[in-house]
Amino acid sequence: MADKLPATVAIANQKGGVGKTTTAINLGAALAMRGVRTLIVDLDPQGNASTGLGIASDRRESTSHDLLSGVAVEPVDTEIENLSIIPATADLSSIDVELADDARRAVRLRQALNGVSRETEIVLIDCPPSLNLLTVNAMVAAGSVLVPLQCEFFALEGLSQLLLTVREIRRSINPQLRIEGVVLTMHDRRNNLSRQVERDAREYLEDLVFDTVIPRNVRVSEAPSFAKPVVIYDPQSAGARAYFELADEFLARMNMVGAEHGTQDA
């Protein structure tokens, strides 16, 4: 695929605490372990995706802030083969002000990602938990949006605003943008509320909802404290198995399943 543009997917939800960064790093890691050359762009000033992949502060010399500022950036390799990241630092929080007078500020990331190595097959953009300039840049740069949706009360309430934002960006700047799908996260099958949220999401969103559901799992919660995605920290855990299943379903939706990308268990 070296002669093709990478598929670029923004992982977004303006609501915090929905498993967005967890999904970004674990989906990215699982894809890489399937043999897919994957780049994660950490576009959250908190830098949690960078931390969760073991990128210490002293290894963040080249960042997503630089990328949006027009500076050439070299991705940082992670400990996982086929997975690299453009890390984030707190400097990113000032980008709205820095680009306030730039008429083309919404397309900065798209322009920058044109320089990404053609060996990269998938770019995952971890967005901040808000619909600000960073998230708009991600959606303008992306071909599709992946939405993590937690199985909790009010889960669907904020989704309509996100869908309206996608529609507006499609109308005004990026007509190719689509919803790749909605991933249900933090699901507890013993909990009536989780099951109700899943039923409502599937009734309302139909085929947009991935078949794979990410369970509430202690190993998923523990992994970040060891600076590892759960698919590395405990690949046999229920959470890790779910993310491997999500990666396989994601590849199928992207029409990237084939001899080059296996789907065997890790």
Side-chain angles (χ1 to χ4, degrees), residues 77-124:
D77 289 333
T78 71
E79 67 174 42
I80 303 167
E81 186 178 2
N82 296 317
L83 182 64
S84 60
I85 185 170
I86 297 176
T89 62
D91 291 348
L92 194 59
S93 60
S94 65
I95 202 71
D96 293 64
V97 175
E98 294 173 31
L99 299 181
D101 296 328
D102 184 351
R104 295 185 59 77
R105 58 188 175 274
V107 299
R108 282 294 192 103
L109 185 60
R110 181 167 70 184
Q111 292 170 338
L113 289 179
N114 284 336
V116 168
S117 169
R118 292 298 179 260
E119 292 184 356
T120 299
E121 296 174 272
I122 289 180
V123 177
L124 300 178

Side-chain angles (χ1 to χ4, degrees), residues 21 25 40 42 44 46-56 60 85-89 126 227:
T21 295
I25 64 175
I40 293 176
D42 190 348
D44 187 340
Q46 297 177 86
N48 289 336
S50 307
T51 303
L53 287 172
I55 309 302
R60 302 185 197 182
I85 185 170
I86 297 176
T89 62
D126 184 31

Side-chain angles (χ1 to χ4, degrees), residues 188-234:
D188 185 347
R189 63 184 179 182
R190 302 165 299 179
N191 187 304
N192 288 335
L193 179 59
S194 284
R195 295 198 298 270
Q196 183 62 53
V197 170
E198 180 177 5
R199 283 195 296 268
D200 290 348
R202 294 192 187 282
E203 180 179 350
Y204 176 57
L205 300 167
E206 299 180 334
D207 291 344
L208 280 179
V209 181
F210 279 81
D211 292 335
T212 304
V213 173
I214 308 300
R216 188 176 291 279
N217 179 250
V218 67
R219 292 308 214 186
V220 173
S221 302
E222 289 174 355
S225 65
F226 292 88
K228 296 178 183 294
V230 73
V231 295
I232 294 293
Y233 174 65
D234 186 353

